[in-house]
Amino acid sequence: MAAIQQSLSTSISSSISTFLGQNKLRFRNQNVSMPGKTSGIVRCVATPSTEKTSYKTQVSRNENLAKLQAGYLFPEIARRRSAHMLKHPDAQIISLGIGDTTEPIPEVITSAMAKRAHELSTLNGYSGYGAEQGEKQLRASIASTYYANVGLEEDEIFVSDGAKSDISRLQVLFGSNVSMAVQDPSYPAYVDSSVIMGQTGQFQKDVEKYGNIAYMRCTPENGFFPDLSSVPRTDIIFFCSPNNPTGSAASREQLTKLVQFAKDNGSILVYDSAYAMYICDDSPKSIFEIPGAKEVAIEVSSFSKYAGFTGVRLGWTAIPKALLYSDGFPVAKDFNRIVCTSFNGASNIAQAGGLACLSPDGFKAMMDVVGYYKENTQIIMDTFNSLGYKVYGGKNAPYVWVHFPGRSSWEVFSEILEKTHVVTTPGSGFGPGGEGFVRVSAFGHRENVIEACRRFKELYK
Amino acid sequence: MAAIQQSLSTSISSSISTFLGQNKLRFRNQNVSMPGKTSGIVRCVATPSTEKTSYKTQVSRNENLAKLQAGYLFPEIARRRSAHMLKHPDAQIISLGIGDTTEPIPEVITSAMAKRAHELSTLNGYSGYGAEQGEKQLRASIASTYYANVGLEEDEIFVSDGAKSDISRLQVLFGSNVSMAVQDPSYPAYVDSSVIMGQTGQFQKDVEKYGNIAYMRCTPENGFFPDLSSVPRTDIIFFCSPNNPTGSAASREQLTKLVQFAKDNGSILVYDSAYAMYICDDSPKSIFEIPGAKEVAIEVSSFSKYAGFTGVRLGWTAIPKALLYSDGFPVAKDFNRIVCTSFNGASNIAQAGGLACLSPDGFKAMMDVVGYYKENTQIIMDTFNSLGYKVYGGKNAPYVWVHFPGRSSWEVFSEILEKTHVVTTPGSGFGPGGEGFVRVSAFGHRENVIEACRRFKELYK
């Protein structure tokens, strides 16, 4: 109960600031519309202000930004949640939506961060600028913890303030002239950052896709692994496994095919392994477990979903020295230049936390947190299974992908929010291939997950 | 002495990881050459690997990255410092180079960060994703502390992980099709991020400038304020005051001219005020003190040089709602989209530190740190003045800009390093207008600054 109230008050303050100027007339409702009853996508094309203003600059708006069709998905969901709260001020809202961690960070990890913070007030413990690529000890620890078996070295690890930031830095690295492929559905940052960098054409409303992106359909029919024979060659392939949102982890055989596909095409694979520690079968935890991957792949990862670092901000990107552009220039060397020019390293306090995560005690504590969320996942899966819904994912990921055949995702999202006060995520927010699905996140306090599932049973009994 | 030793060991570890794969044969020395005796610029064009490799992707290297002429300035200096240490293992190196803070963060600030870290291990104190734009309370506190007199509101403040990151995010915001102007000399991140985004032409070796950038010469002759009548119209104008590296702060009259110039041209002014708290005369501390600036300016700032947050990472960017593109679309609204898509907010622990910085006790403690560095500045200025050198800056900034007429900056840098074991920064690293100058940073322990000055007197007596 206390947790729910806390969640409520957090939601109010964060959602107000999440949407710029939400309480200002000029911005309100201009960029967002309510979901159409028949369409799976929110029509939210931003339009120029129609107010009379005394002065405008003569700088043209970046046409790539103008291509974007909606607010970034998760702030949009936060906005709707906020609107729902205004409408139902007494409702006990439960968020199983944006994939935000809820469980405290293990004390062995926060103590290390507090210690580093305190040391910064001492002459001997103070440190200023760190290496842009991350502290040597943390890079070494990430390499030995996650990549010892595949032979990646510490200087192939770039510590970041999170995978989302690094995805955009990778897009800046690649530039405007590359073509890309993404799983459909997939984490929206891949597509949106590609649009922003000008790699895409306009949004095509009929198919709900951007031009010049290859959408690799992942459905129950193909086991959420794309039919590569129908995927055109692109320069870059974004691939997330275990996948957000479908929760599906690709098998060794599938990833071997994927690496071979990239190699055949001369593509660079950007592999997002942010949920790898949720894997409990023999699916690879890193793309570099696949022979030859070092010549084609980059791996992006994060402490967010392992240690609850969503707010602390810490991740990493692994770029093997063997990964080369067509002229033989090492990709890592250009990424190093991007990191040095556009970033100044992750917070040293967060890095101290990362190092503690990878200590024996810290690692065990992280796995306990992961285990807690995995139990939540099972409860959610059992609930929808008992209601006769087909559910996917869950096993190797903290996301349950629930199928509502023939229905609009946003419609189901709204129905669930309206009738149960539970926030989920509409599958179509992850791409047209997500239409008809809703993603239910297992990140939540146990009592909230149980209560949400009770309400689901009430609604869909 | 302890401090010097600590500085030595820090330098070794950070410099090793600063330069990717420095200890790997493939990368070593490939991207860097020693300074030419007669040329003011380091010739460091990266060239494709000539090694035989078994496999290359078919992805073309981003041609904008290939335009960059050298490693980012400060890692390059760290590399030279490291090389010097290998050559002189017993030397007591003092760094007055990269502008890295050295004094402990006041305890009132670190305590707040440690407290937040500890709270993250409690059920009530835990928080996950924060608002991408920063915590509401911190945004409000920045607005009221720095912008109350100019009427900026909290939703016009975007909290970041530092000014350097936000400069690149602003470049992504503007896109590839804008033209830009910079002070010459200036902080290299402006030009380098512009090159990376494809806003520029190739580097023109004869003039040591990139094509399609307007370099606004700032010299002793014009009081380090550009002759605007000779500056062409550009979409974007980067302007840093107090300036890094010249240490010069623009007066109210000058900034009024600058705002009018931007307005006449319909340009957007990106104003970097990272050193504003070092101002001790009546120069404006914010561009928004100038009437009309809200319609043309963005302000980027940072806690790095105030509170010693160079490693903690916290800054902000202020974008007024009144700043509009030519079609009337608010710039802040697109920046909000960039922040939501490419960033997930600054570390919550760093934000707790920022909030403490702006408390009455924290603010006073910050000003004490600033005051300490300002005393260092005076010592450095007095030293070079006593040696008969013309020095600039210093009064309103932690940088002293020393003139060595007719000499190459890199040559003077090397002479000082070789003969005094003091690391400075060559002026030409900030642009061709910096040739003949060396920047001496006042960030250092007092005893090191005094010792460095003793050595300067020995060298240049």
Side-chain angles (χ1 to χ4, degrees), chain A residues 1-294:
Chain A
M1 179 63 190
I4 294 175
Q5 283 176 335
Q6 184 216 339
S7 166
L8 276 167
S9 66
T10 306
S11 167
I12 292 174
S13 64
S14 75
S15 63
I16 285 176
S17 54
T18 295
F19 193 71
L20 174 75
Q22 189 195 336
N23 53 347
K24 296 283 175 286
L25 199 59
R26 170 183 293 162
F27 288 88
R28 182 191 272 168
N29 293 336
Q30 181 183 316
N31 204 22
V32 175
S33 66
M34 293 309 287
K37 290 288 172 199
T38 55
S39 164
I41 190 124
V42 195
R43 304 288 172 207
C44 317
V45 183
T47 50
S49 168
T50 52
E51 281 182 30
K52 285 266 184 242
T53 54
S54 51
Y55 179 84
K56 299 183 186 77
T57 67
Q58 290 168 38
V59 178
S60 298
R61 184 181 179 208
N62 182 342
E63 58 185 12
N64 297 318
L65 270 295
K67 288 176 191 165
L68 290 166
Q69 288 301 296
Y72 185 74
L73 178 62
F74 298 114
E76 169 60 19
I77 288 170
R79 197 198 61 80
R80 285 169 184 249
R81 171 189 169 142
S82 179
H84 183 76
M85 287 170 61
L86 287 173
K87 196 171 156 195
H88 303 279
D90 298 328
Q92 292 185 346
I93 294 186
I94 297 172
S95 179
L96 303 178
I98 69 167
D100 192 8
T101 48
T102 56
E103 299 314 294
I105 300 174
E107 205 270 339
V108 58
I109 299 165
T110 57
S111 291
M113 294 195 284
K115 181 165 174 280
R116 178 73 70 96
H118 277 307
E119 285 169 355
L120 291 174
S121 67
T122 66
L123 204 55
N124 283 331
Y126 180 75
S127 61
Y129 287 122
E132 291 90 342
Q133 305 85 351
E135 293 172 10
K136 181 179 167 63
Q137 203 183 345
L138 179 57
R139 298 172 83 187
S141 187
I142 291 170
S144 64
T145 303
Y146 294 106
Y147 302 112
N149 59 333
V150 298
L152 277 194
E153 294 173 20
E154 76 181 53
D155 60 357
E156 295 171 303
I157 308 296
F158 296 81
V159 176
S160 75
D161 62 327
K164 196 182 184 191
S165 299
D166 259 2
I167 288 163
S168 276
R169 279 189 283 264
L170 286 169
Q171 298 284 23
V172 171
L173 170 76
F174 299 134
S176 304
N177 294 325
V178 296
S179 54
M180 70 170 276
V182 289
Q183 289 154 295
D184 176 24
S186 66
Y187 177 50
Y190 313 135
V191 167
D192 285 7
S193 60
S194 177
V195 174
I196 289 171
M197 275 306 292
Q199 298 166 0
T200 77
Q202 294 291 339
F203 188 72
Q204 300 162 352
K205 295 192 179 176
D206 52 341
V207 289
E208 296 179 352
K209 296 176 180 178
Y210 289 93
N212 206 35
I213 289 184
Y215 289 76
M216 305 184 293
R217 196 79 162 204
C218 296
T219 64
E221 289 68 38
N222 60 22
F224 297 101
F225 186 79
D227 173 11
L228 295 174
S229 69
S230 69
V231 175
R233 186 220 171 252
T234 59
D235 292 309
I236 312 296
I237 303 168
F238 279 89
F239 199 94
C240 177
S241 179
N243 183 262
N244 175 9
T246 70
S248 181
S251 69
R252 191 169 306 271
E253 190 189 348
Q254 290 171 330
L255 292 179
T256 301
K257 281 184 194 163
L258 183 66
V259 166
Q260 191 57 50
F261 178 75
K263 201 159 244 180
D264 291 345
N265 285 317
S267 305
I268 292 175
L269 182 59
V270 179
Y271 189 81
D272 185 338
S273 68
Y275 300 95
M277 281 176 69
Y278 287 82
I279 291 175
C280 56
D281 63 14
D282 61 353
S283 303
K285 293 192 173 67
S286 164
I287 191 64
F288 299 117
E289 292 182 35
I290 308 300
K294 281 192 216 170

Side-chain angles (χ1 to χ4, degrees), chain A residues 18 70 133 164 324 337 340, chain B residues 18 57 70 133 164 324 337 340:
Chain A
T18 295
Q133 305 85 351
K164 196 182 184 191
L324 306 176
R337 189 63 155 84
C340 287
Chain B
T18 294
T57 66
Q133 306 84 353
K164 196 183 185 190
L324 306 176
R337 190 62 155 84
C340 287

Side-chain angles (χ1 to χ4, degrees), chain A residues 385-438:
Chain A
N385 274 325
S386 76
L387 292 166
Y389 286 88
K390 284 261 190 193
V391 298
Y392 302 95
K395 182 178 169 194
N396 291 318
Y399 297 123
V400 180
W401 189 238
V402 189
H403 202 180
F404 292 83
R407 296 191 64 190
S408 141
S409 296
W410 277 107
E411 185 190 311
V412 177
F413 166 87
S414 297
E415 175 180 270
I416 292 174
L417 179 59
E418 191 63 36
K419 298 197 176 159
T420 71
H421 309 303
V422 178
V423 181
T424 59
T425 307
S428 60
F430 299 96
E435 187 56 284
F437 290 86
V438 162

Side-chain angles (χ1 to χ4, degrees), chain B residues 215-386:
Chain B
Y215 290 75
M216 305 184 293
R217 195 80 164 205
C218 295
T219 62
E221 289 69 37
N222 61 23
F224 297 100
F225 186 80
D227 173 11
L228 295 174
S229 70
S230 69
V231 174
R233 188 222 169 248
T234 59
D235 292 309
I236 312 297
I237 303 168
F238 279 89
F239 199 94
C240 177
S241 179
N243 183 262
N244 175 8
T246 69
S248 180
S251 68
R252 191 169 307 272
E253 189 188 349
Q254 288 171 330
L255 291 179
T256 301
K257 281 185 194 162
L258 182 66
V259 166
Q260 190 58 49
F261 178 74
K263 201 159 243 180
D264 291 345
N265 285 317
S267 306
I268 292 176
L269 182 60
V270 179
Y271 189 83
D272 185 339
S273 68
Y275 300 95
M277 281 176 69
Y278 287 82
I279 291 175
C280 56
D281 63 14
D282 62 352
S283 302
K285 292 192 173 65
S286 162
I287 191 64
F288 299 117
E289 291 182 36
I290 308 301
K294 281 193 217 171
E295 295 173 336
V296 296
I298 289 168
E299 185 161 295
V300 178
S301 201
S302 168
F303 286 94
S304 286
K305 308 301 167 88
Y306 300 168
F309 270 32
T310 41
V312 172
R313 311 304 310 142
L314 195 70
W316 72 89
T317 291
I319 308 189
K321 288 189 281 277
L323 180 67
L324 306 176
Y325 287 117
S326 56
D327 66 357
F329 196 85
V331 174
K333 200 159 180 175
D334 269 350
F335 189 68
N336 187 60
R337 190 62 155 84
I338 297 279
V339 163
C340 287
T341 306
S342 305
F343 183 56
N344 244 330
S347 176
N348 47 18
I349 298 172
Q351 292 192 66
L355 207 51
C357 286
L358 303 181
S359 70
D361 286 352
F363 198 83
K364 187 186 170 304
M366 274 205 297
M367 288 309 296
D368 288 346
V369 176
V370 167
Y372 179 91
Y373 292 129
K374 285 180 75 71
E375 288 170 8
N376 283 351
T377 315
Q378 193 61 50
I379 293 168
I380 297 166
M381 289 172 69
D382 289 348
T383 298
F384 282 100
N385 274 324
S386 76

